[in-house]
Amino acid sequence: MKEKREIYDMIIIGGGLAASFLSLSIFKRNPDFRILIIEKTEYFPQKIGESLLDIAALFVKSLDIDHILSRHTAKSGIRFLFNENKSSDLSQIAEFASPTFPGLIKGYHLDRKLFDQDILDEVDRKGAQIYRPAQILRFSHEDFKNELDLEVAGEFKKVQAKWLVDATGRHRYIPNELKWEDRKIGLNTGAIMAHFKNIAPTEIWDTPQNEYWDTASIGLRKFSTTHLMRKHCWWWIIRLDEERTSIGVVFDKHKVDFEDPQAFFLQQIQEDPQLSLMTEGAERGKIRHIEHLPYVSKHLYSKGIALLGESGAFLDPFVSPGIELIGQQCIFLSELLCQEKESNRFDAKAWKSYEGIFQHAYTSRLRIYEEAYQFMDSYELFTNWLMQGNFMYFVRVVYPAVIFPHRLRLPLRFNLMERVALNYFSQRFKKIYEQRKQQNRQLVYPPNSLKYSGVRLTRGPRFLLTPIILFAKILGGYLKLELKELNYLFKSDPGRVRFSLKSPP
């Protein structure tokens, strides 16, 4: 007698954050949607993707899982620290700071091992079937018919669904099985990371105490996402709790080369003035190396199959766009799948539009990252770039999503004018960077230099004024930069250059 297959509306391969986000989004629309989640591991590992901010925080808030988020550390803001001269004098470190004030959005530092498990348990309570640990023994696909043979904890099962969603992350089960090709992209980065226990107190390695931050922000400065901006690379410092800290580096492989990732990671930490102080005496966990970070699949769906999150694309972890894009995908996919179940009709036009929107979003983000690694160690240039990014992101994405919740689903996409502006400023910043290098001009910061982003998602009138404030910061910062370049160009005595620029003797 032929064994009967279990029938579901949707099967999700992979039981991590993306699978749970999609399931919860669907259950909000249709609690009777039949979902099977297949997860190969018995316990979740630690993973990259520990920072939750802005649009991602708005999306997670919409899922009504505050009881889960309360177990994680509130994110107090985001910081960027520059040390162009590799000085061991902490007063020579320049900072661009963006505290999170009490208000409309609250981000978190996620312990992914704990968070992924808690949110999967929530999906289980909502009614999804979860097979774990499970191994796929056979997979077959026809249009709107997906059949899988599984081994689940020693038991064999046959399952079938109209829709199969790949949420396997970088394992990318469907693209590998069906030989889906990736797009050719210019960004070529890698990452190395580890968790550390009991890093040194902040007064040993950080800039001086910031009383304004610690009194005005939702949390202490040490619970921000801290970036150390270095030549062709950047480091993240994320305090998961009082004991554990995630430390990692993302680097441009066009410029940074090594043979042994672990040796490179440890050497860079030892040679960096801040990292060496930070990690001295700390207990280090396993070092993880991701050789190739960015990729984008040419296709995000076919008839009966959809790629979700990192199974379809991964760009760069800088300012944490991954969870944000996953959340926006989940909103779209939950709408498409629930509408199809209700109407029993595949809306080809809507699915094509969905794919076009996210391919455009990936292209827009790649344009940003492809340029940024070329001058990210420069305090003046990169803070100008960050202020432009803050304005674009806030005005085009966050601001509309706060006022009009239905706009939360729309990822950042550049129009023609924005692409022209991005190209102009990127090329201009690169030219200034190269000129300064050729002229051997080093930036000498005033002691304890500090700039604030101006981003405040607080309630009240100031929220409405924030776009104007951010634009004023862009304009002022860029004009000041160009005046410095003119000042150097027309000075008769280069040895007397001012504006904190030191010229060769």
Side-chain angles (χ1 to χ4, degrees), residues 50-67:
E50 298 153 318
S51 185
L52 187 71
L53 47 76
D54 295 336
I55 289 297
L58 280 174
F59 168 73
V60 174
K61 182 180 179 181
S62 74
L63 297 179
D64 300 323
I65 54 172
D66 287 347
H67 57 291

Side-chain angles (χ1 to χ4, degrees), residues 335-362:
E335 291 175 355
L336 290 168
L337 292 168
C338 288
Q339 287 171 4
E340 180 174 320
K341 180 175 172 59
E342 182 178 346
S343 66
N344 198 29
R345 183 181 68 87
F346 175 69
D347 189 340
K349 184 177 179 180
W351 277 92
K352 187 175 181 179
S353 174
Y354 154 75
E355 182 176 63
I357 287 171
F358 280 89
Q359 291 289 6
H360 187 180
Y362 297 145

Side-chain angles (χ1 to χ4, degrees), residues 183 295-297 300 307-309 312-315 325 329 354-355 357-367 412-413:
R183 290 168 44 187
Y295 53 84
V296 180
S297 174
L300 299 180
L307 306 184
L308 174 60
F314 186 88
L315 305 179
L325 287 165
Q329 270 191 290
Y354 154 75
E355 182 176 63
I357 287 171
F358 280 89
Q359 291 289 6
H360 187 180
Y362 297 145
T363 299
S364 296
R365 299 274 183 152
L366 285 169
R367 285 179 181 270
L412 175 65
R413 293 162 291 157

